[in-house]
């Protein structure tokens, strides 16, 4: 395994932005694993199927084409909600695992952000971050992002979404959202994105020195 950087955490914690910036810093490819679940949810809805239908979700996951991650529709509020509904199904998670693990195996390194990267997808990742912030601050960030994309939605609606999603992602029987024992917690509540990235970079640099020493 190369230098894999696992960036986990709840919705709108800033993990995606941090992951992209780390990728640019090291020249590594970046995978936003949430897009996989979002694309599966969107596909189920586009086929006119029910998000409560596990077999439909599994079929959507198995037939997923990486090009589907690029559709603007996967970035909507509805897609985020659909993603967390299909993400509770273990067979769906298994179907998406191979793609993520192949990405993690890329040399000389890769950055992946999600919920279970440091715990399930790449438990041996040399660098693990768990990025968090209060629900209110996360809702504020997500509200800005979605209204910037043209969605008509209130702050209160987004805050409610975030609370439901945190609860669903944490209560999941398979791969619940939890911090890996060897991850470093980064609370970005009071941080600007530049400050958060700076803190993340320092954590990753420490992990990198340790990894290089261990490699010999
Ligand atoms: O962008 P945001 O943080 O709202 O969410 P996301 O990372 O795009 O993920 C959307 C949903 O997919 C999450 O609420 C999880 O339910 C699910 N997910 C997951 O189960 N495992 C991952 N590695 C990534 C996302």
């Amino acid at each position: 395994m190369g230098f894999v950087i696992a960036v986990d955490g709840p919705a709108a914690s800033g993990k995606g932005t941090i992951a992209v910036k780390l990728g640019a810093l090291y020249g590594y490819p970046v995978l936003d694993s949430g897009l996989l679940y979002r694309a599966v949810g969107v596909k189920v809805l586009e086929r006119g199927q029910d998000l409560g239908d596990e077999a439909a979700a599994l079929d959507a996951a198995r037939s997923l084409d990486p090009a589907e991650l690029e559709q603007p529709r996967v970035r909507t509020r509805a897609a985020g909600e659909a993603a967390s509904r299909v993400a509770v199904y273990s067979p769906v998670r298994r179907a998406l695992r191979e793609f993520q693990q192949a990405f993690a195996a890329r040399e000389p390194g890769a950055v992946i952000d999600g919920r279970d990267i440091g715990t399930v997808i790449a438990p041996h990742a040399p660098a693990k971050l768990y990025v968090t912030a209060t629900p209110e601050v996360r809702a504020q960030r997500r509200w800005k992002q979605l209204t910037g994309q043209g969605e008509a939605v209130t702050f209160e609606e987004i805050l409610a979404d975030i609370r439901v999603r945190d609860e669903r992602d944490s209560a999941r029987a398979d791969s619940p959202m939890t911090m890996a024992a060897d991850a470093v917690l980064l609370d970005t509540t009071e941080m600007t994105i530049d400050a958060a990235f700076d803190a993340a970079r320092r954590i990753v640099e420490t992990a990198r020195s340790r990894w290089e020493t261990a490699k010999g």
Side-chain angles (χ1 to χ4, degrees), residues 8-16 32-38 74-75 79-88 93 100 112-117 121 138 142 145 162 165-166 168-169 172 174-175 177:
D8 289 305
S13 56
K15 63 187 187 305
D32 173 352
S33 65
L35 289 180
L36 298 169
Y37 296 90
R38 284 169 175 262
V74 301
R75 311 238 173 225
E81 169 66 17
S84 84
R85 300 272 310 272
V86 298
V88 301
R93 304 194 71 82
Q100 296 174 79
I112 311 186
D113 80 76
R115 300 286 187 292
D116 62 344
I117 308 307
I121 300 299
R138 291 188 281 126
R142 182 51 46 93
Q145 179 199 341
I162 283 200
R165 207 115 76 74
D166 281 359
R168 195 185 288 136
D169 289 349
R172 203 158 54 205
D174 185 15
S175 314
M177 176 173 77

Side-chain angles (χ1 to χ4, degrees), residues 96-174:
L96 300 177
R97 197 167 294 168
E98 197 182 320
F99 180 85
Q100 296 174 79
Q101 289 182 332
F103 198 94
R106 287 171 68 165
E107 295 287 350
V111 187
I112 311 186
D113 80 76
R115 300 286 187 292
D116 62 344
I117 308 307
T119 50
V120 174
I121 300 299
H124 302 297
K128 297 182 187 178
L129 284 166
Y130 193 84
V131 185
T132 185
T134 61
E136 290 75 13
V137 164
R138 291 188 281 126
Q140 188 63 39
R141 292 174 184 163
R142 182 51 46 93
W143 178 78
K144 262 190 160 172
Q145 179 199 341
L146 290 175
T147 51
Q149 279 172 208
E151 284 205 47
V153 63
T154 67
F155 168 79
E156 285 72 24
E157 286 168 327
I158 294 298
L159 180 59
D161 279 7
I162 283 200
R163 291 193 196 281
V164 168
R165 207 115 76 74
D166 281 359
E167 173 64 29
R168 195 185 288 136
D169 289 349
S170 307
R172 203 158 54 205
D174 185 15

Side-chain angles (χ1 to χ4, degrees), residues 181-203:
D182 54 350
V184 178
L185 181 69
L186 180 59
D187 185 334
T188 68
T189 302
E190 310 273 352
M191 293 181 182
T192 61
I193 187 59
D194 286 345
F197 173 60
D198 205 51
R201 190 179 51 75
R202 274 184 273 124
I203 294 165

